[in-house]
Amino acid sequence: MQYRELGRTGWKVSTISFGAWAIGGTWGDVRDDESLAALGRALDLGVNFFDTADVYGDGRSEQLLAKLRRLRRERSAPFYVATKVGRRNDPHVASGYTRENLTAFVERSLKNLDVDALDLVQLHCPPTEVYYMPEAFEALDGLVQAGKLCHYGVSVEKVEEALKAMEYPNVKTVQIIFNMFRQRPMDLFFGEAQRRKIGILARLPLSSGMLTGKMTRTSTFESDDHRQGNRKGEWFDRGETFSGLDYETGLQAVDELRALLPEGMSLTQMALRWILMFPAVTCAIPGAKRPSQVEENVSAAELPELSDETMGKVRETYERLVRPQVHHYW
């Protein structure tokens, strides 16, 4: 495993980390015993950073990470848990990002994760107006001062939101969708983040599983799986599902990318290794529901760099097939 500095937190985190959305729900059926096995395998392979949220399974994901910590306290090195808050606002509007609500969300996550202080809290893709509300960030400052959390950052939908968030001096991290189908962050955001020493967490690195290469035109998904119910943004921002890319176009792009695979490398591994080619990125946070998925994900950290030719061809596929559908939206 390789490790990179996470902004100004003082932490070094695994370049392939663990996204815990899938073990909470909305990705089809999951079993807690299998999820714990996947989490434990990640620890065994050197993963020391886990990303979750209070709404993943209504706390289920956070509680599984608390159980992991209890089970592995004597056998594993300490690890960091980043959680996210804000989506419990109902309706999810900017006016809900008050000191009172944020404090209540943090207190609930403290209980779910069974800790005295949260390692890292991120605002969970709030409405754009929240980035123009200094009082929301002042509330987070107060929670740091009260010892309820160590650091805070944001999880964003749009590059513009990331750029605005970084103007707040105590934002330490930005989580953003970055993968072979969502390349806009590299244009301006990466340089600004490096200048400000902001940690970057690349979420949906496999584009909701599309970049595993395992989906086909006949693939089906369960009714509670966002890949079935959110393709047009019915549940939340449509960019969270297949990176906002039309399913058929995604399959066409995958066919082209598959032809670029270096010998002995799976498409999953190439997609993750592609992300790590960018030094501005601290880590990719692919999800996993089974130990075998963890093993394939983590192995990408040790693979050779992709060639300039391969990087250029990935970009060409993006420019021709993907960019018209996603680049200017997020």
Side-chain angles (χ1 to χ4, degrees):
M1 178 58 70
Q2 307 295 318
Y3 299 85
R4 294 181 183 176
E5 292 187 5
L6 182 62
R8 306 186 311 278
T9 63
W11 305 342
K12 287 191 173 182
V13 303
S14 47
T15 55
I16 302 295
S17 295
F18 191 109
W21 183 7
I23 65 173
T26 65
W27 288 80
D29 184 52
V30 288
R31 300 200 326 263
D32 287 355
D33 58 340
E34 200 166 46
S35 296
L36 282 167
L39 291 167
R41 186 61 180 142
L43 282 179
D44 292 339
L45 294 173
V47 172
N48 71 343
F49 186 85
F50 297 81
D51 177 78
T52 185
D54 59 358
V55 292
Y56 293 169
D58 194 25
R60 179 185 186 184
S61 179
E62 289 182 325
Q63 291 162 10
L64 282 167
L65 284 162
K67 187 170 184 178
L68 175 72
R69 184 172 273 136
R70 290 192 297 269
L71 290 172
R72 302 293 293 261
R73 196 181 303 275
E74 304 300 327
R75 295 190 290 134
S76 301
F79 57 86
Y80 305 106
V81 175
T83 194
K84 297 184 285 292
V85 300
R87 303 294 295 201
R88 298 187 66 79
N89 280 315
D90 187 14
H92 184 230
V93 293
S95 60
Y97 281 76
T98 63
R99 183 181 303 272
E100 179 182 15
N101 285 347
L102 289 172
T103 299
F105 299 152
V106 165
E107 292 286 357
R108 186 175 185 272
S109 289
L110 286 167
K111 182 177 179 181
N112 281 339
L113 286 163
D114 193 21
V115 292
D116 296 325
L118 300 173
D119 295 330
L120 174 67
V121 165
Q122 305 152 94
L123 296 184
H124 196 174
C125 298
T128 301
E129 303 95 295
V130 172
Y131 300 99
Y132 295 85
M133 293 168 50
E135 60 271 24
F137 296 87
E138 290 166 2
L140 294 172
D141 287 332
L143 288 164
V144 172
Q145 293 163 7
K148 300 291 186 180
L149 52 103
C150 300
H151 304 286
Y152 69 81
V154 293
S155 182
V156 303
E157 297 289 3
K158 300 177 181 179
V159 167
E160 291 80 4
E161 294 168 344
L163 294 170
K164 179 62 180 175
M166 291 191 298
E167 295 180 7
Y168 295 98
N170 293 320
V171 167
K172 303 287 182 64
T173 62
V174 171
Q175 183 175 148
I176 193 166
I177 298 175
F178 179 62
N179 58 50
M180 290 194 286
F181 291 165
R182 286 281 285 273
Q183 299 190 24
R184 188 181 176 196
M186 73 173 74
D187 292 349
L188 173 63
F189 167 62
F190 280 5
E192 282 298 298
Q194 285 181 299
R195 185 173 69 83
R196 297 172 184 264
K197 296 184 178 179
I198 299 290
I200 297 177
L201 313 177
R203 81 170 183 276
L204 292 180
L206 301 175
S207 193
S208 307
M210 178 69 74
L211 286 169
T212 66
K214 298 173 183 176
M215 294 179 185
T216 69
R217 285 165 179 79
T218 59
S219 294
T220 59
F221 305 94
E222 296 176 45
S223 59
D224 66 341
D225 191 320
H226 75 100
R227 294 171 294 184
Q228 177 65 35
N230 190 57
R231 294 192 187 184
K232 296 182 180 180
E234 295 92 333
W235 299 355
F236 37 75
D237 190 281
R238 67 182 177 87
E240 297 283 344
T241 302
F242 301 127
S243 303
L245 189 62
D246 170 76
Y247 188 79
E248 290 292 328
T249 305
L251 291 176
Q252 183 181 350
V254 162
D255 285 342
E256 293 193 8
L257 294 172
R258 190 180 283 111
L260 307 178
L261 284 175
E263 186 176 356
M265 193 180 295
S266 70
L267 186 59
T268 294
Q269 292 168 327
M270 185 175 80
L272 294 172
R273 191 65 188 87
W274 181 88
I275 290 171
L276 299 186
M277 293 293 290
F278 299 88
V281 175
T282 306
C283 66
I285 47 174
K289 295 192 288 187
R290 295 179 291 279
S292 59
Q293 293 173 328
V294 172
E295 291 165 0
E296 184 175 17
N297 292 343
V298 168
S299 65
E302 301 291 344
L303 293 173
E305 293 187 355
L306 300 179
S307 69
D308 291 343
E309 180 183 10
T310 298
M311 295 295 288
K313 288 182 177 179
V314 170
R315 183 70 180 187
E316 192 278 329
T317 294
Y318 172 81
E319 292 288 342
R320 180 167 40 80
L321 290 178
V322 180
R323 180 187 176 105
Q325 291 190 25
V326 305
H327 193 84
H328 296 292
Y329 291 97
W330 295 281

